[in-house]
Amino acid sequence: MSLALARKYRPRNFATVAVQSHVANTLKGAIARGRVAHGYLLCGPRGTGKTTLARVLAMALNCERRGEPELQGEPCGQCASCQRIWSGAASLDVVEIDAASNGGVADARDLRERAMYAPSGDDRYKVYIVDEAHMLSRDAWNALLKVLEEPPPRVVFVFATTESQKVLGTVVSRLQRFDLKRIGATEIRERLAAVLTEEGVRFEDEALGMIARAADGGLRDALSLTDQVLSLGETAEVTADRVTVALGLVPDDEYVALLDLILERRAGDIFAAVQRQADAGVDFVLLLAGLGRTLRALLAMTMGGALPDMSERLRAALQARTGRVSAGDLVRMLHALLEIEPMYRKSGQPQLLLETLLVRFALLDRTVELEEVLKGFGAGGGDDPPPRRVAHDARVASAYAMPPSPPPAVAPALAPAPAFITPAPSQTATQHAAAAAAAAQQEAAQRAPAATVRRAQGGAPTVEQVKATWPQVTTAVRSSGRGMVAEALQRLVPVAVTADGVVTLSHAAGDDTFAMPVERARADVLAALQAQLPGVHGFTLQPTAPVAPSGAPAPRAAAKRLTAHDVQQQRTEQIAAKDPLLEAAVKALDLELLD
């Protein structure tokens, strides 16, 4: 049998361990200076060199030439002890344990008892390598606490794990912990190139890049995948086409084709494209991950950031499409992709999930911006300051202007209008207030219908005039920074106006959801009403009593609670009302507001 590349080219000393120099140099220095600890915890992803470093440490501690100045803590790799430890043969001083199958408390007690026996020689160390240490049970860890705290002389424990969070904190405090890094694609390509050159195999740089990306940071995985590619075909070579076929990867051209469907808004063609991938037997999990990498690379290009590792062909294709989609839309796509990924692996309909996700991407231009939603609630924007300033000046002007004649007495249920009590203004303040009042009146004259203005000069307006001016009233309230009050005003209906200029606002019987915020903001609402309709001197809130078919009053209806759907519908109506074209599109296409 041929020896696998991952075993044949496994490092035999600290110097040849890829990337993990921070760990290798520390261990080598500890051996050279005689400061070897009694326990080590090696953490990191799979295939990054944890077990390899543990074996090299065991070899260096028991090397027959240990202590020679030229070695400087490295194992010689040639003596009988190094050969025996490296080959995995039986050794009295090095014991490797798989915690996945020996993780019980009985196994831990057996390990503790065996550790009491001295090494085979006075100049040797007894090394216990426990792989997959996170599989040890809590009781097993507790059984090892005493021996880890006070171990016998010349006994070293090395624990290797991929899930360090499962190791008890009391155990970690008794060990020296080292976190191994993921191996980057560049380092993996360099190591693969060296291995294939040593083997005399022809290779393509693009093929090595594809293997490095598929290895996902593990050098052992990269070597295993290279073995898999070499097994395909009659000749020993590593090409991009062979890597695609052997590993079942999706070609970069397919990602570019899907990206074009999204950018060109061809939502109807997405189903055929996904079905073509399904017929080819593509793993949709890999397709989703590759699409995420492609969108991320396009986002990096759009924002001028550092580009990830990719083929030159894909780089050129994405460069040609830079600028056709905004960075905000790319972020929304990536966010939607991350949201769907957890349910994607558990779903029984992965193709349907992928199709709906891509259709959402293609129809992203039909969504409503969140900024428009915030503007609809008066959260601020570029167009808000002027109206807000006019409304503020109107309130200041009414404070400094001559007090109006007292209004006639009203019903006891009517709350009195707020009075402005101010000190006597100076001449400059009076002139400023008069100018502000004139500006406010001019703004009101431009917004209100001509009939409303004419009627306001003669006395109280009619209810039809109040209804016609109601949108301007809500806009003035929103401009003053009371967006929620404006939303509540839109749900109230003017039903009557008294001769004294008191407007009656009606709301549903038994439901004061919209009446309460208007009542709390009575001063602001009245200021907006008087700015648009000077003949108005107050308002009152009145529930609408439902009438039964027989003519008798109907029973009081229970208050209806707002649901998420109701809020979403109200927001859509509010945004659509600001633009007739958008309102027509909402009704024709049945659009909905996305969060």
Side-chain angles (χ1 to χ4, degrees):
M1 293 179 60
S2 61
L3 194 62
L5 295 178
R7 296 179 57 193
K8 185 176 181 180
Y9 290 94
R10 196 170 194 172
R12 295 173 177 265
N13 51 42
F14 293 115
T16 55
V17 177
V19 178
Q20 317 301 342
S21 58
H22 63 294
V23 182
N25 293 336
T26 303
L27 296 179
K28 183 173 65 173
I31 296 173
R33 298 174 179 83
R35 301 184 61 86
V36 180
H38 66 274
Y40 297 95
L41 177 63
L42 304 180
C43 314
R46 69 180 190 277
T48 53
K50 298 183 296 297
T51 307
T52 298
L53 283 170
R55 283 192 180 183
V56 173
L57 175 64
M59 290 170 57
L61 289 175
N62 293 289
C63 180
E64 297 176 359
R65 298 173 54 190
R66 181 170 60 89
E68 295 183 4
E70 61 271 13
L71 292 178
Q72 297 183 352
E74 291 276 12
C76 69
Q78 304 297 328
C79 64
S81 176
C82 291
Q83 292 288 347
R84 187 165 54 252
I85 295 174
W86 181 251
S87 62
S91 175
L92 296 177
D93 299 318
V94 179
V95 180
E96 291 194 28
I97 302 173
D98 179 19
S101 55
N102 299 277
V105 63
D107 301 304
R109 290 172 180 171
D110 180 65
L111 176 60
R112 183 183 60 188
E113 294 174 358
R114 293 172 60 180
M116 298 301 173
Y117 293 96
S120 59
D122 295 337
D123 58 344
R124 302 178 69 86
Y125 283 81
K126 202 149 194 174
V127 182
Y128 292 93
I129 302 174
V130 182
D131 205 359
E132 303 296 334
H134 59 274
M135 299 297 291
L136 289 173
S137 65
R138 176 179 291 271
D139 293 336
W141 281 119
N142 290 330
L144 292 175
L145 286 179
K146 188 62 176 177
V147 72
L148 291 178
E149 185 173 5
E150 299 177 358
R154 292 180 287 122
V155 174
V156 178
F157 293 92
V158 182
F159 298 94
T161 177
T162 57
E163 302 180 29
S164 59
Q165 71 277 4
K166 294 185 178 181
V167 181
L168 297 181
T170 53
V171 175
V172 177
S173 64
R174 290 168 168 81
L175 306 173
Q176 289 188 13
R177 171 173 174 168
F178 294 95
D179 291 291
L180 278 68
K181 305 175 183 178
R182 290 168 53 89
I183 303 179
T186 303
E187 290 80 6
I188 292 179
R189 282 203 305 268
E190 293 176 355
R191 182 58 62 94
L192 291 179
V195 169
L196 293 177
T197 302
E198 183 72 19
E199 292 288 320
V201 177
R202 188 179 69 86
F203 60 88
E204 297 177 358
D205 292 336
E206 183 179 352
L208 297 186
M210 297 170 65
I211 295 176
R213 289 190 292 272
D216 194 23
L219 183 57
R220 182 181 61 209
D221 293 4
L223 292 171
S224 300
L225 293 176
T226 305
D227 263 330
Q228 185 175 340
V229 174
L230 291 175
S231 302
L232 180 66
E234 298 179 357
T235 58
E237 58 181 0
V238 179
T239 62
D241 294 336
R242 283 195 177 186
V243 172
T244 301
V245 175
L247 306 185
L249 303 179
V250 181
D252 292 338
D253 296 338
E254 296 295 338
Y255 296 124
V256 175
L258 290 176
L259 183 60
D260 286 337
L261 295 180
I262 295 172
L263 298 181
E264 296 171 6
R265 310 303 181 188
R266 294 157 52 193
D269 297 337
I270 287 177
F271 300 96
V274 175
Q275 186 61 44
R276 184 174 66 253
Q277 299 298 326
D279 296 338
V282 172
D283 186 357
F284 286 126
V285 176
L286 296 178
L287 181 62
L288 193 69
L291 180 62
R293 289 194 298 268
T294 304
L295 293 176
R296 176 180 176 271
L298 184 58
L299 177 63
M301 286 186 178
T302 303
M303 302 187 68
L307 300 182
D309 183 73
M310 69 182 79
S311 63
E312 291 298 330
R313 182 167 52 183
L314 180 59
R315 187 189 304 272
L318 294 181
Q319 193 69 40
R321 289 158 177 79
T322 302
R324 294 177 57 183
V325 59
S326 64
D329 285 344
L330 289 173
V331 172
R332 294 184 187 95
M333 294 180 194
L334 290 172
H335 183 69
L337 190 146
L338 292 176
E339 285 183 341
I340 202 176
E341 186 176 6
M343 67 178 72
Y344 195 85
R345 299 179 182 274
K346 302 177 182 179
S347 174
Q349 297 288 340
Q351 181 175 346
L352 181 60
L353 283 177
L354 180 60
E355 290 172 345
T356 54
L357 180 66
L358 295 178
V359 168
R360 286 178 59 188
F361 290 171
L363 300 180
L364 200 60
D365 59 331
R366 304 186 185 182
T367 58
V368 180
E369 294 287 345
L370 182 60
E371 182 180 359
E372 295 295 331
V373 179
L374 296 178
K375 287 182 178 179
F377 278 93
D383 299 331
D384 288 345
R388 184 182 298 115
R389 183 168 57 252
V390 171
H392 174 72
D393 292 341
R395 290 196 295 270
V396 174
S398 63
Y400 282 100
M402 294 297 293
S405 57
V410 296
L414 177 63
F420 294 90
I421 303 175
T422 59
S426 62
Q427 184 177 2
T428 304
T430 304
Q431 294 175 354
H432 177 73
Q441 291 178 0
Q442 183 180 1
E443 180 70 17
Q446 292 177 354
R447 293 189 177 185
T452 303
V453 177
R454 288 195 301 269
R455 181 59 182 168
Q457 295 173 353
T462 64
V463 67
E464 289 78 12
Q465 292 170 347
V466 175
K467 291 181 178 179
T469 318
W470 200 245
Q472 285 80 13
V473 175
T474 58
T475 301
V477 173
R478 180 175 290 105
S479 301
S480 65
R482 306 301 296 268
M484 297 304 297
V485 177
E487 288 293 324
L489 279 176
Q490 288 186 337
R491 308 299 181 226
L492 302 181
V493 180
V495 294
V497 181
T498 65
D500 303 330
V502 178
V503 180
T504 301
L505 303 179
S506 175
H507 61 87
D511 185 4
D512 58 354
T513 304
F514 302 109
M516 291 180 62
V518 174
E519 179 64 35
R520 288 194 294 264
R522 174 174 288 273
D524 292 333
V525 174
L526 183 58
L529 274 169
Q530 292 175 343
Q532 302 296 328
L533 300 167
V536 174
H537 297 290
F539 69 89
T540 180
L541 300 172
Q542 174 181 313
T544 301
V547 180
S550 61
R556 181 182 179 91
K560 179 183 177 182
R561 296 180 62 87
L562 286 178
T563 63
H565 182 268
D566 296 334
V567 175
Q568 185 183 44
Q569 185 176 5
Q570 293 173 11
R571 290 180 180 177
T572 305
E573 294 174 356
Q574 169 64 25
I575 296 173
K578 299 172 63 177
D579 189 348
L581 182 60
L582 180 59
E583 184 177 9
V586 170
K587 294 179 179 179
L589 301 177
D590 193 20
L591 301 179
E592 64 178 3
L593 178 68
L594 297 181
D595 290 335

